[in-house]
Amino acid sequence: METIPVELWQEILLRASTKDVARSCCVSTQWRDIVRDPSFRKLHHDRHATAHDVPDALLVATYNIDSQRVASVFPVEPAAVSPTSSTRTATAPICRVNHMEGYRIANICNGFLCFASHSTAKAIVHNPVTGERLEVPRAPRLPPDQDNARSPVTFALGFSPNNCVYKLFRFTNRTMDVYTLGRGAESTGWRRHALPLHPRNLVESKPAVVIGGKICMATIGPAPYRHPADNGTPGPVLVVDVAHEEPCTYSPPDYGLPWADAAVSVFELHGRLCLAIRTERMIQFWTMPVEEDDDDQPWQLLYKFKVVDDEIIRFNQFQRLVPMSAWLDGHTNTLCYREGNNVYRKYVGTTTATVRRFSSTKVVIMSWDSKICLPVASSSLSSFQWDIYAGYRPTLLSPLTFASGQHEEDDNKCDLFIRSLLRTLRSQKSQKCRPSPTSAGCTNAKRICCINPRGF
């Protein structure tokens, strides 16, 4: 191995997956030095960030430890850690993120987790693999008509594969604020764009997904025959081009019950946007490509599942409170749907990689292969919260790579004062003591100037 040039090893490791590269650090010190090189990590990220592999799902749990809010990140599938992982290793967290008071996860973009605090308008970008985090400067104040508790606010981290740039977005019903991570022509602070969504609302509890350089988010529209403030029907899907910072909306699919209440969730399915719509008696999965800039993209119905009677009662009573999410387990090619404390699984194979155009009348109603009843947290765990998030593609790139030149104004003032304070203290310490004029003679002077007694 010593006769092989380092450049050749770099090229070989650049072609390997992130998980294999991380394991290669245990092979030799030469490989470890290669992997630890920040330039290698950046090249590896840029090459694999545009790969169309199936992302993993993560379980993120937040709870209190010693009066401190902690977020622990776990892989949902043990195979996502290692095919030979032991039970102890498979249940161990990938990482723990401390000091998360007031923060909750906004979304997952490639190998980064974005945590946001709506009260402080700040966000944290965290890499579970490296354990490093970056605090993004505070977002600007909202307009007076939106700076209240009734105005939904959603953060999302986006990535443009064309120029390998990450951007942080903050959405409201009327504005969209954007911040570019790292140095560059566009990293000039926060920028504000108009976002005409009113009277529709963003679904704050549903994280955004990033597909092909576009952020996709679900909205919800006014409920018919109800108070205008009530929401009950799926609204248009908001799609934002990360590179050009241009938003557009796509009308929701015709799921057959336009006047009925419905819950909605978005996720990625083989590189396409997939919309899970839950009505009283049916769960439908619709897909649509978002790569083309076509305002009239056709929705395609992929799967329909009938809801059993006991789940109908639960939906009517707790529709707005029960967590709902969906993802594709790429290791077993299984479609997973979570509702509350139940997870439903259906093997779908790899046929959805090339989606055909189906009409709603040709899709056969299917049944789930299995149902998993999750344990219910006890009442003593009042501060314990958890959810499952899809779209994770591990990376070795450190979020601190984007930290150059990024400091919040308030932090700058604190840093300037601290530097001034330390400079004053250290300059006083480094100064040589001089004998003070005293009538007590040289004895007192020697005791004071013991640092340099030769001068006396």
Side-chain angles (χ1 to χ4, degrees):
M1 295 177 60
E2 297 179 356
T3 60
I4 301 178
V6 177
E7 293 77 9
L8 183 57
W9 284 126
Q10 290 178 346
E11 185 61 29
I12 294 174
L13 292 174
L14 282 174
R15 299 174 183 270
S17 64
T18 302
K19 298 172 186 177
D20 293 335
V21 171
R23 298 188 188 102
S24 67
C25 294
C26 302
V27 175
S28 66
T29 57
Q30 184 186 34
W31 286 19
R32 183 179 59 191
D33 294 339
I34 294 175
V35 175
R36 287 182 176 179
D37 187 359
S39 60
F40 170 83
R41 296 191 174 193
K42 182 65 168 62
L43 291 174
H44 187 272
H45 167 270
D46 295 346
R47 176 172 294 190
H48 292 266
T50 57
H52 297 285
D53 55 336
V54 179
D56 297 325
L58 298 178
L59 186 150
V60 181
T62 55
Y63 46 92
N64 294 332
I65 297 181
D66 298 333
S67 302
Q68 183 182 125
R69 196 68 175 170
V70 177
S72 297
V73 183
F74 303 83
V76 173
E77 300 296 333
V81 183
S82 173
T84 59
S85 296
S86 61
T87 303
R88 181 180 180 85
T89 305
T91 57
I94 302 176
C95 68
R96 281 193 173 97
V97 190
N98 299 325
H99 306 291
M100 299 307 295
E101 293 80 3
Y103 284 86
R104 67 180 183 183
I105 187 168
N107 75 318
I108 295 178
C109 181
N110 290 339
F112 296 115
L113 277 64
C114 179
F115 296 89
S117 172
H118 295 178
S119 59
T120 61
K122 298 181 66 176
I124 294 175
V125 179
H126 180 82
N127 187 340
V129 175
T130 64
E132 297 167 317
R133 56 190 281 177
L134 170 68
E135 295 189 10
V136 182
R138 189 192 309 271
R141 285 184 173 273
L142 293 173
D145 58 338
Q146 301 180 54
D147 193 8
N148 56 68
R150 294 184 179 180
S151 179
V153 178
T154 303
F155 284 81
L157 180 66
F159 174 74
S160 173
N162 296 330
N163 50 14
C164 294
V165 170
Y166 285 91
K167 296 181 181 181
L168 181 64
F169 291 75
R170 183 184 66 174
F171 300 96
T172 66
N173 289 347
R174 293 182 174 88
T175 59
M176 178 181 70
D177 298 308
V178 189
Y179 188 92
T180 303
L181 273 63
R183 290 185 178 271
E186 297 178 326
S187 89
T188 55
W190 285 91
R191 305 173 295 280
R192 177 160 293 175
H193 307 281
L195 188 65
L197 281 181
H198 188 76
R200 305 173 185 90
N201 290 324
L202 295 169
V203 184
E204 294 182 272
S205 60
K206 306 298 181 183
V209 296
V210 184
I211 305 173
K214 296 184 179 180
I215 297 177
C216 306
M217 305 179 64
T219 67
I220 197 164
Y225 309 110
R226 295 188 185 178
H227 190 274
D230 292 338
N231 296 316
T233 59
V237 177
L238 175 64
V239 178
V240 180
D241 187 288
V242 177
H244 300 93
E245 302 175 10
E246 296 178 353
C248 64
T249 57
Y250 295 94
S251 300
D254 182 12
Y255 55 94
L257 298 170
W259 307 111
D261 290 347
V264 62
S265 179
V266 296
F267 65 103
E268 178 186 353
L269 185 63
H270 289 292
R272 294 189 174 212
L273 170 65
C274 191
L275 199 65
I277 300 179
R278 166 71 150 91
T279 58
E280 182 180 8
R281 296 183 177 271
M282 198 72 61
I283 304 174
Q284 303 178 13
F285 292 87
W286 296 78
T287 185
M288 180 187 70
V290 294
E291 293 83 0
E292 299 84 1
D293 295 330
D294 188 358
D295 296 336
D296 190 20
Q297 291 285 356
W299 286 99
Q300 302 162 8
L301 180 60
L302 284 182
Y303 310 111
K304 293 171 63 176
F305 296 90
K306 187 177 180 180
V307 180
V308 296
D309 294 338
D310 59 339
E311 299 296 336
I312 294 176
I313 300 176
R314 181 187 305 173
F315 179 77
N316 289 336
Q317 294 178 347
F318 307 107
Q319 172 195 356
R320 302 182 186 180
L321 302 178
V322 173
M324 169 187 170
S325 58
W327 68 94
L328 178 68
D329 177 10
H331 302 281
T332 59
N333 297 317
T334 303
L335 179 65
C336 304
Y337 172 78
R338 180 226 170 178
E339 186 173 302
N341 292 312
N342 295 323
V343 174
Y344 304 86
R345 298 172 65 91
K346 176 67 177 180
Y347 175 77
V348 296
T350 59
T351 55
T352 52
T354 56
V355 181
R356 296 177 297 171
R357 292 194 177 185
F358 292 107
S359 63
S360 59
T361 58
K362 294 183 181 180
V363 177
V364 179
I365 298 178
M366 309 172 69
S367 59
W368 299 103
D369 293 338
S370 62
K371 173 184 175 181
I372 304 174
C373 297
L374 303 176
V376 181
S378 63
S379 58
S380 60
L381 300 176
S382 58
S383 63
F384 184 86
Q385 297 176 349
W386 68 274
D387 209 338
I388 297 175
Y389 302 88
Y392 176 67
R393 294 179 172 90
T395 179
L396 299 173
L397 184 64
S398 170
L400 299 179
T401 307
F402 314 115
S404 300
Q406 295 188 8
H407 298 284
E408 190 179 355
E409 182 179 356
D410 295 340
D411 295 339
N412 271 340
K413 294 179 180 179
C414 295
D415 292 342
L416 289 175
F417 175 76
I418 292 174
R419 285 197 293 268
S420 176
L421 186 63
L422 290 174
R423 190 184 308 111
T424 305
L425 291 172
R426 291 168 182 171
S427 62
Q428 292 294 331
K429 184 178 179 180
S430 62
Q431 286 182 356
K432 296 181 179 180
C433 296
R434 299 181 180 274
S436 58
T438 176
S439 58
C442 296
T443 304
N444 188 30
K446 289 182 180 180
R447 184 170 62 250
I448 296 175
C449 301
C450 59
I451 298 178
N452 188 14
R454 294 182 180 180
F456 300 95

